[in-house]
Amino acid sequence: QGFTMMFAYTISKSLWNQVQLNRAQLPLSPHFPPLDEPQIYSLTYTYDLPFGPGKRFLNVTNPIAKQVIGNWSVAGWQSYYPKGYAISVPASYYTGQPMKTGVGCGSLEPGNPAKEFYLNDKAIKAASAYQLGEVTQLPNVRTCGFAGENLSVNKDFPVRENIRVNFAGEFFNLFNRHSFYGINTQIANPAAFGSYSQATGGRSVQFHLRLAF
């Protein structure tokens, strides 16, 4: 029926060894690498819309109507990384307080003191001079994830048997999502600790016209 789709789900766990100088930290040596992605969802699809000559709906014969109504298709590709990346905070100790502030990724508002901090600066403290501390990587806290949807709308205009004109509009980050990255983990800077410094770009749209022969 002119519809194809492919879905992929990836579950993985990457580890590497980080050299420690403190023997007491040896059990903590296996770490997640910076770009460890535990789960990835991917979806791609194409659909030839059922309108126009030879299709289920609006099977017209008028030459002008055929050019306007027929040969439309849509395609999309979507990616989701829900778990985020591991967070490293070296040379520090736990204080016993919750590591997260309670402000979720969907509620973050950079510039708003009440909603811009993802990590709690009271949850850890810097190690003393010549001490390595007990924290190298947060065990149960990761950065915000990523979600992205892209859509393409295509229209073919047949000219002759071997000549056609293609017009397309492509919409990147269709729903204008913003994913945060660049989290501050500098304990010496409590005013910025736990806040994100950057975000992905907004929606972008492009159109193109192509002659195929």
Side-chain angles (χ1 to χ4, degrees):
Q1 299 297 318
F3 178 74
T4 61
M5 180 180 69
M6 182 175 67
F7 173 77
Y9 171 68
T10 303
I11 182 170
S12 65
K13 183 176 182 179
S14 301
L15 291 173
W16 65 0
N17 288 324
Q18 181 168 326
V19 178
Q20 303 291 348
L21 300 179
N22 185 343
R23 183 175 295 274
Q25 288 186 306
L26 288 178
L28 301 177
S29 57
H31 282 66
F32 296 110
L35 297 181
D36 172 62
E37 298 168 342
Q39 296 183 44
I40 302 174
Y41 301 85
S42 300
L43 175 67
T44 60
Y45 55 88
T46 61
Y47 183 38
D48 294 329
L49 299 183
F51 306 109
K55 300 297 179 68
R56 182 177 180 183
F57 303 105
L58 300 177
N59 187 4
V60 295
T61 57
N62 181 281
I64 297 178
K66 287 169 61 176
Q67 288 285 9
V68 173
I69 297 174
N71 299 300
W72 286 93
S73 65
V74 296
W77 56 104
Q78 303 172 200
S79 300
Y80 302 95
Y81 302 77
K83 296 294 185 180
Y85 300 121
I87 301 175
S88 296
V89 186
S92 56
Y93 290 94
Y94 290 114
T95 64
Q97 295 193 35
M99 194 66 242
K100 296 182 67 175
T101 60
V103 178
C105 295
S107 303
L108 287 169
E109 294 183 15
N112 181 348
K115 294 185 177 182
E116 70 173 327
F117 296 101
Y118 184 67
L119 301 178
N120 179 14
D121 67 317
K122 303 295 191 300
I124 57 176
K125 62 180 181 179
S128 303
Y130 309 110
Q131 296 293 318
L132 296 177
E134 63 181 357
V135 181
T136 52
Q137 194 171 81
L138 303 182
N140 298 311
V141 179
R142 284 177 170 261
T143 63
C144 293
F146 169 82
E149 296 87 8
N150 309 288
L151 181 70
S152 174
V153 180
N154 293 269
K155 173 70 172 79
D156 278 336
F157 296 90
V159 179
R160 292 184 179 179
E161 183 177 352
N162 61 341
I163 301 176
R164 61 186 174 87
V165 176
N166 173 261
F167 173 75
E170 296 171 339
F171 305 83
F172 301 97
N173 191 9
L174 179 64
F175 299 118
N176 202 33
R177 299 180 187 270
H178 297 279
S179 299
F180 296 99
Y181 63 99
I183 191 167
N184 190 305
T185 56
Q186 299 300 315
I187 308 172
N189 185 10
F193 179 85
S195 62
Y196 285 94
S197 60
Q198 300 179 73
T200 55
R203 180 192 302 112
S204 63
V205 181
Q206 68 179 24
F207 298 96
H208 64 80
L209 189 66
R210 179 167 57 92
L211 176 64
F213 58 91

